[in-house]
Amino acid sequence: MIRPASRWMTRCAMALLLGGSALASSANAQDQAQTDTAATLHADTPGATVDRHIFSQFAEHLGYGIYGGIWVGPNSKIPNIKGYRKDVVEALRALHVPLVRWPGGCFADEYHWRDGIGPRANRPVRINTHWGGVTEPNSFGTHEFMDFAELIGADAYVSGNVGSDAPSAMEEWVQYITAPEGALAQERAKNGRKEPWKLPYFGIGNELWGCGGNMRPDDAAGITRRYATFVKPPYGVKIQKVASGANGPDTNWTEVMMREAGKQIDGIGLHYYTTPGETSGAPKGRGSATTFTEVDYARTMAKTWRMEELLTKHSAIMDKYDPARRVNLAVDEWGIWTDVEPGTNPGFLYQQNSLRDALLAAVNINIFVHHAERVRMTNIAQMVNVLQSMILTDGAKMVLTPTYHAFDMYRPWQDGTALPLDLPKTWYNREEWTAPAVTGSAVRGKDGAVHVALVNIDPTQPHHLEIALTGLNAAQVSGRILTAGRVQDVNDFATPARVAPVAFTGATIRDGKLSLDVPAKALVVLDLR
Ligand code: AHR
């Protein structure tokens, strides 16, 4: 059965898929929108559970993502808890981060886990050949990561080295982390941890089509079958094995992996980054994080909206091989990837984070919620100081990015039940770039309340909504809004709260209808009781 929300998403995706004629289609959709004001929240036909792991993060040995961002060491002057930055730990705990993926990324297929155990002073210093050619001290290793995940209350997702290590290394690493007894458990205890850690997810390499070994799909599927065989948890314990997934639109990768290795895995990844593209009038590159025109903005939003099409296509392939939807489509790297901040190391991927990026995150989260039956984990890239991060640090200073605030506003979605939400089909267009102006999602949270998220990417005009509530007798509505003067606005160390959520009082419920103007360039999250 196609739910109303899915029908809406399908129509929006269709317009984008039509390529050259997309704008014409969207113009039709716009005409319709003027008459089609019907919007409905179907609380009486609940959908899938929104797995909290949809809000997961990714922390790689890259730039200041780990060193300086999370780990400063116990002797640092920066306030820390056993070496972890206190401010960062507190911010992440407050966010209820459900899971962290580590140690990469491309770093994972160069990482030899034995380098990162034992007394820190004895660990080898290596070169991080993939990211900046800088030294890797290995002072943040298995114990530091697993303890960090526990400290912030998150599950661990460790990516193994398929590209440059043997299956036995992977087998021993998993045992070292999870075994209750035996030689590897004793070694772990000697290194300070008697109890096994929980390891609910394990990645069978990363980007095997690229930095993980430049493999062809058939070779990667064969290798995945082989390596996955040796990821062996203790008796009675389950580890979900996640295969290295496709590069964006490469559906053949998903097809071959599902066909050849689908029975050996519990999840398959998908990596899709939104690259804004050449900034108007600026030198060629991925596009600036902070200086962009409205056309650049529209291009970015149209490109990010492509996630809907990608999930639909990859899911359809997975449905062929796995109609029961046992295998999770894990979007284990996503987010906006811009040029680095001027003057910073190009290998460190340090970029600022604007209101645009928070709205982009919200658009993607709404898409993930609509695909919640198949998409049960996603990992924004990355957690601190790298790409679309939650947090930026500079020495002892820390700032929460607009994206952090968007994630915070979606906290009630974690393990909630998706409720279909039909919205009018209005489109935002600039030149050839088009994307839905207003997207949304809704859940019945674990707290029993209904939560509705609405994001208006249109930077110039508000959108009025009247949403009929079916199967819901709510009388009160309260909420928060994330917006700013300009979509380019950022939080920096001088003005850390320029973009931060405030109370939203512009919504009312009357005669079974929720009414509001969603302001221009804003994310609004409402609680209905
Ligand atoms: O997140 C940065 C890099 O992007 C990751 O290391 C890699 O998997 C991807 O190409």
Side-chain angles (χ1 to χ4, degrees):
M1 187 184 88
I2 301 177
R3 288 202 310 268
S6 312
R7 282 202 306 269
W8 167 72
M9 298 298 277
T10 309
R11 269 182 270 167
C12 293
M14 281 301 292
L16 197 66
L17 281 172
L18 291 174
S21 58
L23 207 54
S25 300
S26 68
N28 292 341
Q30 240 180 354
D31 292 340
Q32 269 180 18
Q34 281 149 23
T35 49
D36 182 5
T37 52
T40 308
L41 170 60
H42 302 267
D44 46 357
T45 53
T49 298
V50 179
D51 195 312
R52 68 182 185 285
H53 296 107
I54 280 179
F55 298 89
S56 299
Q57 316 228 341
F58 171 35
E60 180 166 15
H61 288 238
L62 195 180
Y64 298 111
I66 301 284
Y67 301 109
I70 292 171
W71 179 256
V72 288
N75 301 324
S76 173
K77 288 205 176 84
I78 297 175
N80 66 84
I81 307 164
K82 295 184 180 169
Y84 308 100
R85 289 183 72 118
K86 192 164 177 291
D87 51 0
V88 169
V89 164
E90 281 168 2
L92 294 173
R93 284 182 69 90
L95 199 54
H96 294 206
V97 178
L99 174 146
V100 190
R101 176 176 184 247
W102 173 87
C106 293
F107 183 81
D109 286 281
E110 299 187 355
Y111 182 61
H112 302 283
W113 70 273
R114 283 203 162 274
D115 288 350
I117 58 168
R120 282 186 206 113
N122 299 347
R123 297 185 193 173
V125 174
R126 306 269 184 213
I127 302 297
N128 188 335
T129 54
H130 203 89
W131 298 117
V134 294
T135 52
E136 163 58 59
N138 277 307
S139 30
F140 192 93
T142 301
H143 288 250
E144 289 77 13
F145 171 68
M146 298 303 295
D147 288 350
F148 168 66
E150 279 189 353
L151 186 62
I152 63 167
D155 287 339
Y157 172 17
V158 170
S159 288
N161 181 342
V162 167
S164 67
D165 219 334
S168 56
M170 191 179 269
E171 182 180 24
E172 287 173 14
W173 196 11
V174 170
Q175 271 195 34
Y176 183 87
I177 295 171
T178 61
E181 54 194 5
L184 287 160
Q186 283 165 17
E187 189 178 1
R188 184 187 67 229
K190 200 174 101 223
N191 288 331
R193 172 80 183 203
K194 187 163 185 310
E195 290 302 308
W197 287 284
K198 289 204 176 84
L199 182 59
Y201 296 89
F202 194 87
I204 316 297
N206 169 75
E207 296 193 351
L208 297 186
W209 42 263
C211 61
N214 282 309
M215 298 177 203
R216 299 181 193 93
D218 273 304
D219 299 333
I223 286 208
T224 298
R225 289 171 66 106
R226 179 171 174 223
Y227 276 67
T229 307
F230 301 101
V231 175
K232 290 186 170 169
Y235 200 72
V237 174
K238 173 78 185 156
I239 295 180
Q240 298 213 24
K241 303 171 197 177
V242 184
S244 162
N247 183 12
D250 183 1
T251 47
N252 183 49
W253 185 275
T254 302
E255 177 91 44
V256 175
M257 193 62 88
M258 285 300 292
R259 191 182 64 221
E260 302 299 329
K263 300 264 182 312
Q264 275 78 32
I265 56 176
D266 306 290
I268 181 166
L270 173 69
H271 290 184
Y272 177 60
Y273 285 98
T274 304
T275 51
E278 191 175 338
T279 303
S280 303
K284 206 168 163 48
R286 288 197 162 94
S288 164
T290 51
T291 309
F292 49 89
T293 64
E294 196 183 334
V295 173
D296 298 326
Y297 172 80
R299 186 193 313 113
T300 307
M301 289 306 180
K303 284 174 136 188
T304 218
W305 176 243
R306 213 170 160 213
M307 182 67 88
E308 167 55 33
E309 173 202 338
L310 295 181
L311 296 187
T312 301
K313 286 185 165 176
H314 287 281
S315 296
I317 291 168
M318 293 177 75
D319 286 350
K320 222 166 60 176
Y321 295 97
D322 173 35
R325 298 189 172 153
R326 183 188 68 80
V327 182
N328 169 13
L329 176 55
V331 188
D332 49 10
E333 288 186 32
W334 69 274
I336 184 167
W337 189 328
T338 70
D339 293 338
V340 299
E341 283 304 291
T344 64
N345 186 331
F348 282 12
L349 309 187
Y350 177 84
Q351 66 189 46
Q352 246 297 0
N353 192 293
S354 65
L355 173 65
R356 170 190 65 180
D357 305 346
L359 302 180
L360 178 150
V363 168
N364 279 279
I365 291 169
N366 290 336
I367 294 171
F368 299 147
V369 173
H370 288 119
H371 286 268
E373 280 177 23
R374 177 65 83 179
V375 177
R376 301 193 288 269
M377 185 208 289
T378 87
N379 306 71
I380 192 166
Q382 299 193 5
M383 193 175 230
V384 189
N385 290 331
V386 177
L387 300 178
Q388 188 174 355
S389 54
M390 302 286 133
I391 292 173
L392 298 173
T393 67
D394 178 14
K397 290 179 278 189
M398 180 195 82
V399 73
L400 304 178
T401 66
T403 300
Y404 176 99
H405 294 304
F407 268 64
D408 184 47
M409 291 167 76
Y410 276 94
R411 261 197 296 136
W413 269 247
Q414 294 196 15
D415 290 335
T417 304
L419 301 176
L421 176 63
D422 279 343
L423 292 174
K425 295 95 195 162
T426 48
W427 290 81
Y428 166 62
N429 310 306
R430 286 298 174 271
E431 296 187 348
E432 74 267 42
W433 306 105
T434 185
V438 181
T439 57
S441 64
V443 290
R444 186 177 290 281
K446 287 178 78 185
D447 58 359
V450 168
H451 305 274
V452 182
L454 298 160
V455 53
N456 177 10
I457 62 165
D458 188 332
T460 57
Q461 52 176 329
H463 280 263
H464 183 70
L465 288 177
E466 299 210 353
I467 305 176
L469 306 173
T470 63
L472 179 62
N473 211 358
Q476 286 175 3
V477 55
S478 58
R480 289 198 293 166
I481 180 169
L482 185 69
T483 188
R486 303 159 62 239
V487 284
Q488 292 88 350
D489 281 352
V490 301
N491 292 335
D492 52 29
F493 300 104
T495 315
R498 187 182 284 119
V499 189
V502 294
F504 180 76
T505 52
T508 55
I509 298 181
R510 194 167 302 144
D511 301 331
K513 257 193 187 162
L514 171 68
S515 308
L516 72 154
D517 282 341
V518 189
K521 52 176 165 27
L523 166 64
V524 172
V525 169
L526 302 170
D527 305 332
L528 278 56
R529 288 168 207 275

